[in-house]
Amino acid sequence: MTHVRISDDAIARACGADELAAAFESAGCTVDRVSSYGMHWLEPLVDIDGIGFGPACADDVADILAGSSPKSIGRIADHPFLARQTRLTFARAGRTRPMSLEDYAATGGWSGLSRARTLTPAQVVADVTASGLRGRGGAGFPAGIKWKTVLEAPGEAKFIVCNADEGDSGTFADRMIMEGDPFQLIEGMAIAAHATGAGQGFIYVRSEYPDAIAKLNRAIALSADIVAPFSLEVRVGAGAYVCGEETSLLNSLEGKRGEVRAKPPLPALEGLFGCPTVVNNVLTLAAVPHILSEGGAERYAQLGIDRSKGTMPIQLAGNIRHGGLFETAFGITLNELVHDIGGGTTSGRPVKAVQVGGPLGAYLHPDQFDLPFDYEAYTVADALIGHGGVTVFDDTADMGAMARFAFEFCAVESCGKCTPCRIGSTRGVELIDRIRSGGATAADAVERLPQMHNARKSNRSRPEELALLEDLCETMQFGSLCALGGFTPYPVRSALKHWPEDFGQ
Amino acid sequence: MQKANLAEIIDAHAGRKGALLPILHDIQAAFGCIDANAEAAVAKALNLSRAEVHGVVSFYHDFKPAHDPRPVVELCRAEACKARGVESIAAAAETEAGERVNLKAVYCLGLCSVGPNARTGDRLHSRLDEASLLNLVRSA
């Protein structure tokens, strides 16, 4: 009987993996549902004894079983897309059944936690610090320092909070870990708990990820005895991008509006319910089991460049031929990512722009594609690595429209607490509309009293409007309480800088 | 809203830390909305003011003040799906949806390498073109 492996990751399912699995079962095969290799252009990918076929549909089943399918890609492990990666966090991707404790243990699972439990909390913190691991959620803050603060903070109770509110367009690595390797995340959280003295943990998942929520709940139940006395719970967001910001997330977990808190106090000192709290992203916590395994911290620190250590799961998205999950050491360039690995655009047209780091990240021009993937190098270039999303646009993209969308998105998702973000985002949409239309827009037709101090909405010259836009961006960047308002100027300014022709004349 | 059901939902979460969001999720799932009655009941149970509960309900996109019986198709309109052409097929889908289907914009379903993407219930749909999107709206 032929044994078939097909991913049950949300991407594979959205591309028809369930129907494909059913077709193989009706053809008399046994089917295992595994995690995704992350080669998304090949999903659903069929794995028979290590040989891959994709993207496959029910019509291909007979050919595949007969050994005559033109969709064969040969040995999956030898595929150049996989062979070029350094997979630590995603080492199990495509190889294990997500809900199988057996598979997890057989692939080195729980070895990091076992070793951590032979160490003192301070020793675990020292290991994480030595690895150079920085927060993978976007801010890039050293994880060891955060953990040390929580370890040393006085408090009756301490918490580990996993930020799984992955709202950035162009990112899906958190979702893939939660769906494909949830025990790794649980193990990372249990290690964090041991290192800081926390008894309870929460995984805050966005409601847009129902598959991840269901699998996490099952995985938590299955592994409860292993991680005890640490206990874990999933909490579901309710549709608010800003809850990806750590203090908004904490407010939301407490059952409040997801408004940003002013810092200080740091969440490490006064976080969830006022207690010392580690707030780390999924990828950060999922990197920890490897680091805590024997010699892991040293191996991790040897990868990467400068102060960006270890590997980054990069998400190749948008208009890219070979889109998917590419984990590699820091230092890789966009040229390699987009052209060599990604194979250029799906549409076959020239690349116009790449947005790195989600909706709040800058649009990079092909002239900048030699920039090494490194936190500091990106900062110098007025750009962000963020959560590692790389979204490719071809030459049909209208960058003026994308700049407008950046403001529009900020206006929809602003928590409203600070004025630059709440009002600035709406003003930004109006400004870009006026700049692109060369003056007054339909919105200006609203009847206004001449004595209103801001009555003059139009009739500014283009340089005056552009200066106003610059002023607005400055105000939002430095006056906003969190990254939503503070970073929205990145996509706007970069679009205007590199593609002024898309903003009208 | 039926008081008995409301009370059951609220009781099921009693004693949980930060119980408000889980309670509101369950109410939204059971009734399709969180109306003034529900807000009042929750406020009383959690010893909060109605204003506080209303502030939370109105903050999140997932919670609705009134039930909308129309079928929902959530179409991603965020950057990665825009890069893959969602804007060029959205207008036709809007026309097809008309008043019958609630065609909602969402910002990211986490399938950014295989867009344009949409969601109906808990089912995800990738690699949409105009024909498959129109089909989705029609059969919603």
Side-chain angles (χ1 to χ4, degrees):
Chain A
M1 193 189 290
T2 310
H3 186 69
V4 180
R5 294 152 68 87
I6 297 172
S7 169
D8 63 352
D9 178 271
I11 279 190
R13 295 188 61 207
C15 295
D18 293 350
E19 294 77 2
L20 183 65
F24 272 107
E25 274 168 356
S26 353
C29 303
T30 53
V31 180
D32 261 344
R33 299 304 293 271
V34 292
S35 51
S36 170
Y37 280 100
M39 299 191 283
H40 292 155
W41 75 100
L42 293 171
E43 291 288 9
L45 175 65
V46 176
D47 175 352
I48 301 176
D49 298 328
I51 307 294
F53 304 87
C57 60
D59 291 346
D60 299 317
V61 169
D63 280 354
I64 290 174
L65 291 176
S68 62
S69 174
K71 296 206 172 162
S72 172
I73 60 159
R75 281 200 69 75
I76 296 173
D78 298 338
H79 194 285
F81 186 86
L82 285 180
R84 291 188 66 165
Q85 301 194 41
T86 305
R87 286 199 157 176
L88 300 177
T89 305
F90 278 86
R92 288 184 194 84
R95 300 170 199 276
T96 54
R97 292 167 296 173
M99 290 299 130
S100 165
L101 279 170
E102 217 175 25
D103 286 10
Y104 187 66
T107 48
W110 309 118
S111 60
L113 179 61
S114 318
R115 181 168 167 270
R117 283 180 168 166
T118 65
L119 305 174
T120 65
Q123 285 172 322
V124 176
V125 170
D127 251 21
V128 172
T129 307
S131 74
L133 176 67
R134 292 165 71 171
R136 295 290 186 251
F141 188 80
I145 294 179
K146 193 182 269 188
W147 288 22
K148 187 166 191 275
T149 310
V150 176
L151 169 64
E152 291 169 358
E156 280 172 34
K158 294 176 185 177
F159 295 103
I160 309 296
V161 171
C162 172
N163 183 344
D165 194 78
E166 180 179 59
D168 283 358
S169 176
T171 65
F172 41 75
D174 291 356
R175 185 186 57 65
M176 286 182 67
I177 288 289
M178 291 188 281
E179 290 185 27
D181 202 359
F183 295 124
Q184 186 176 221
L185 172 61
I186 291 169
E187 184 180 357
M189 293 184 73
I191 294 170
H194 175 70
T196 56
Q200 197 179 358
F202 292 93
I203 307 177
Y204 185 93
V205 192
R206 64 200 299 255
S207 59
E208 289 86 342
Y209 286 176
D211 288 16
I213 293 163
K215 282 185 172 173
L216 280 174
N217 276 319
R218 275 183 62 199
I220 287 171
L222 288 169
S223 61
D225 291 344
I226 299 170
V227 301
F230 180 57
S231 71
L232 260 174
E233 198 181 310
V234 173
R235 286 294 170 93
V236 181
Y241 175 78
V242 76
C243 288
E245 199 280 335
E246 62 175 359
T247 60
S248 302
L249 186 152
L250 293 174
N251 275 336
S252 188
L253 253 175
E254 290 180 7
K256 298 173 184 159
R257 292 164 68 89
E259 284 179 349
V260 175
R261 297 179 187 171
K263 289 192 272 194
L266 294 170
L269 298 171
E270 283 179 45
L272 189 62
F273 304 112
C275 299
T277 304
V278 170
V279 186
N280 276 149
N281 175 259
V282 173
L283 294 180
T284 319
L285 291 162
V288 167
H290 173 81
I291 289 168
L292 259 293
S293 64
E294 197 61 52
E298 201 180 314
R299 280 199 301 275
Y300 202 79
Q302 280 165 2
L303 295 165
I305 53 169
D306 297 330
R307 287 168 54 209
S308 302
K309 297 298 187 194
T311 61
M312 182 75 194
I314 294 169
Q315 297 124 88
L316 302 177
N319 194 339
I320 186 162
R321 189 178 308 241
H322 297 157
L325 192 287
F326 194 88
E327 182 174 358
T328 185
F330 282 94
I332 194 166
T333 66
L334 281 179
N335 264 327
E336 291 172 89
L337 284 171
V338 174
H339 296 296
D340 304 349
I341 296 155
T345 61
T346 314
S347 59
R349 302 182 66 94
V351 175
K352 179 169 183 172
V354 170
Q355 188 176 33
V356 183
L360 309 175
Y363 287 101
L364 295 164
H365 189 275
D367 290 348
Q368 299 170 282
F369 280 13
D370 286 330
L371 201 62
F373 216 83
D374 163 83
Y375 287 106
E376 277 71 34
Y378 268 64
T379 306
V380 170
D382 272 336
L384 310 168
I385 279 180
H387 186 44
V390 169
T391 304
V392 179
F393 293 78
D394 73 9
D395 62 347
T396 60
D398 175 348
M399 302 313 292
M402 295 314 295
R404 182 190 196 275
F405 177 68
F407 277 134
E408 194 187 340
F409 180 72
C410 181
V412 171
E413 296 296 342
S414 175
C415 84
K417 181 149 177 166
C418 70
T419 318
C421 173
R422 183 181 70 241
I423 294 176
S425 50
T426 298
R427 290 288 177 258
V429 172
E430 296 166 358
L431 243 174
I432 291 199
D433 280 349
R434 285 206 303 279
I435 290 169
R436 273 161 61 90
S437 65
T441 66
D444 296 326
V446 177
E447 199 177 314
R448 301 168 75 84
L449 299 172
Q451 62 269 39
M452 282 171 71
H453 72 281
N454 60 348
R456 196 182 74 142
K457 268 190 87 178
S458 54
N459 301 328
R460 285 189 201 91
S461 67
R462 184 178 166 85
E464 282 175 317
E465 295 279 28
L466 290 173
L468 193 58
L469 179 63
E470 182 51 37
D471 191 43
L472 175 66
C473 285
E474 185 91 356
T475 304
M476 286 180 70
Q477 185 170 348
F478 296 103
S480 298
L481 270 174
C482 83
L484 178 53
F487 288 0
T488 294
Y490 280 101
V492 173
R493 275 177 166 152
S494 56
L496 181 62
K497 179 179 170 193
H498 297 297
W499 302 274
E501 65 278 10
D502 285 0
F503 287 77
Q505 291 309 314
Chain B
M1 281 181 186
Q2 295 157 296
K3 277 190 178 158
N5 273 353
L6 264 180
E8 270 172 40
I9 289 172
I10 294 167
D11 283 351
H13 297 284
R16 276 179 95 175
K17 288 175 181 150
L20 183 54
L21 242 58
I23 289 174
L24 294 179
H25 269 302
D26 284 0
I27 294 175
Q28 174 72 40
F31 301 100
C33 67
I34 300 167
D35 64 13
N37 264 337
E39 282 181 6
V42 172
K44 195 168 175 216
L46 299 188
N47 197 22
L48 297 167
S49 71
R50 265 269 329 266
E52 280 173 290
V53 176
H54 182 70
V56 172
V57 170
S58 58
F59 181 85
Y60 296 96
H61 297 309
D62 285 2
F63 303 140
K64 310 281 181 250
H67 181 56
D68 182 346
R70 295 179 297 165
V72 180
V73 175
E74 294 178 304
L75 181 64
C76 178
R77 306 288 286 271
E79 284 85 353
C81 282
K82 283 188 197 293
R84 294 178 68 91
V86 69
E87 294 307 322
S88 65
I89 60 174
E94 271 159 17
T95 310
E96 181 67 38
E99 295 294 306
R100 188 186 72 83
V101 175
N102 181 7
L103 182 70
K104 254 174 68 178
V106 290
Y107 301 104
C108 201
L109 298 167
L111 320 168
C112 314
S113 47
V114 291
N117 304 307
R119 176 178 164 182
T120 50
D122 276 353
R123 220 183 131 72
L124 298 163
H125 312 266
S126 289
R127 296 180 184 141
L128 293 169
D129 54 17
E130 189 167 303
S132 54
L133 177 58
L134 288 182
N135 219 2
L136 209 59
V137 173
R138 241 173 251 138
S139 54

